[in-house]
Amino acid sequence: QVQLVESGGGLVQAGGSLRLSCAASGSRSTIKTMAWYRQAPGKQRELVAGVATDGSTNYADSVKGRFTCSRDNSKNTVSLQMNSLKPEDTAVYYCYVIISSVDGSTAFQYWGQGTQVTVSS
């Protein structure tokens, strides 16, 4: 059973920084995409940043230049370094991974439990 454990959320003033981490355990096959989503009150969940197996990344326009997503394939972890935080970054942040099946014929997606990030003005 794959489990995602997130850490690093909290309360920070605008302009500050936080680092989120997510560790995936229980996988017996390749973890393909690792990503972070967020959901603010009353809004849909949105992609913040993702990183592929080869380290290539993509970011939401709203966080480009401020957030950095990285992964450690040897430890099955993904991190999100968030700098220059703004009040509009306030949301629950979710770790998300796509894992291929053992035979590679399909893939499965998993979500973390979410961690709250609150940015005060």
Side-chain angles (χ1 to χ4, degrees):
Q1 180 72 16
V2 173
Q3 288 189 322
L4 303 179
V5 178
E6 301 155 346
S7 61
L11 173 64
V12 65
Q13 288 189 332
S17 298
L18 282 174
R19 184 177 180 86
L20 305 182
S21 295
C22 174
S25 62
S27 174
R28 295 186 297 167
S29 55
T30 301
I31 298 178
K32 300 171 72 174
T33 297
M34 303 187 84
W36 291 94
Y37 282 73
R38 67 185 180 188
Q39 186 166 20
K43 294 188 177 182
Q44 289 189 332
R45 191 171 297 188
E46 63 175 358
L47 175 67
V48 177
V51 55
T53 307
D54 64 1
S56 58
T57 55
N58 63 293
Y59 296 92
D61 288 343
S62 60
V63 307
K64 283 181 181 177
R66 300 188 297 123
F67 289 12
T68 301
C69 185
S70 60
R71 65 188 285 172
D72 184 335
N73 291 329
S74 66
K75 298 179 180 179
N76 288 343
T77 59
V78 59
S79 298
L80 184 69
Q81 177 65 43
M82 305 184 292
N83 299 327
S84 302
L85 282 161
K86 304 175 180 180
E88 51 263 43
D89 294 318
T90 295
V92 177
Y93 284 70
Y94 296 91
C95 178
Y96 169 82
V97 301
I98 298 175
I99 300 176
S100 65
S101 60
V102 174
D103 64 2
S105 63
T106 188
F108 304 94
Q109 56 184 355
Y110 299 90
W111 292 92
Q113 78 282 3
T115 185
Q116 177 70 45
V117 170
T118 302
V119 184
S120 63
S121 57

